[in-house]
């Protein structure tokens, strides 16, 4: 059976939705990172005015969500409950900052992840979750 991957159309659908949301609410610009199931960057969108720090954060959020198969908000709650630091994992790319969401199909396969940065942590997470829900996969 051929492995499902995120298509360009799916990535574009999420990006266009997020950019429209950002333009509509007039808040800070978004940076959107999309990773594949092997934790490789396959799409990076930086709206005009985005900062470099947002690029790094969006990438780390997407990376962590793909690796852990969890929303970064869920991962944050888990780490805080366990009272351990991320350093125990030995992976400096990981983060517990909300704004990342895995993209998992109905068979339970992780197709990739999305990371959003540029807003509050709560807003970043809400936007990432909403973008994933658009795909209905």
């Amino acid at each position: 059976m051929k492995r499902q991957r995120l298509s360009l159309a799916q990535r574009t659908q999420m990006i266009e939705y997020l950019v429209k949301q950002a333009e509509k609410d007039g808040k800070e610009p978004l940076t959107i990172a999309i990773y594949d199931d092997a934790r490789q960057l396959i799409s990076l969108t930086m709206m005009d005015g985005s900062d470099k720090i947002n690029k790094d954060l969006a990438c780390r959020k997407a990376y962590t969500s793909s690796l852990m198969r969890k929303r970064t908000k869920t991962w944050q709650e888990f780490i805080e409950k366990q009272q351990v630091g991320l350093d125990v994992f030995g992976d400096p790319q990981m983060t517990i900052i909300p704004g990342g969401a895995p993209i998992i199909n109905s068979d339970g396969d992780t197709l990739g992840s999305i990371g959003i940065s540029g807003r509050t942590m709560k807003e970043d997470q809400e936007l990432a979750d909403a973008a994933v829900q658009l795909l209905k996969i």
Side-chain angles (χ1 to χ4, degrees):
M1 184 167 140
K2 188 173 181 180
R3 201 169 90 209
Q4 186 179 0
R5 296 187 183 273
L6 283 175
S7 68
L8 176 59
Q10 289 169 316
R11 296 188 313 258
T12 302
Q13 180 184 8
M14 289 189 294
I15 292 164
E16 287 178 352
Y17 165 79
L18 292 164
V19 169
K20 283 179 186 171
Q21 287 298 114
E23 290 172 343
K24 184 169 64 171
D25 65 28
K27 295 182 182 178
E28 296 296 313
L30 295 177
T31 299
I32 306 157
I34 301 175
Y35 276 50
D36 66 11
D37 61 330
R39 295 179 306 281
Q40 297 298 310
L41 181 65
I42 56 174
S43 181
L44 178 66
T45 301
M46 296 179 71
M47 293 179 66
D48 292 344
S50 293
D51 293 326
K52 180 190 179 306
I53 187 71
N54 289 330
K55 173 193 166 277
D56 296 339
L57 286 172
C59 288
R60 290 179 64 195
K61 292 173 184 185
Y63 174 89
T64 302
S65 289
S66 186
L67 176 65
M68 301 312 296
R69 298 180 46 140
K70 294 182 183 342
R71 299 163 60 243
T72 49
K73 174 64 176 162
T74 305
W75 183 234
Q76 176 191 46
E77 292 164 354
F78 174 81
I79 291 293
E80 288 173 354
K81 183 178 178 182
Q82 298 300 315
Q83 297 181 346
V84 297
L86 282 176
D87 57 328
V88 301
F89 294 94
D91 189 339
Q93 291 186 70
M94 292 179 73
T95 187
I96 60 169
I97 300 172
I103 302 167
I104 300 173
N105 69 14
S106 59
D107 294 330
D109 299 323
T110 302
L111 306 182
S113 58
I114 187 166
I116 309 294
S117 187
R119 303 293 172 80
T120 67
M121 291 184 283
K122 182 178 188 271
E123 290 171 320
D124 285 348
Q125 189 65 63
E126 289 170 351
L127 288 166
D129 294 341
V132 170
Q133 291 301 313
L134 284 176
L135 299 183
K136 297 181 173 86
I137 51 176

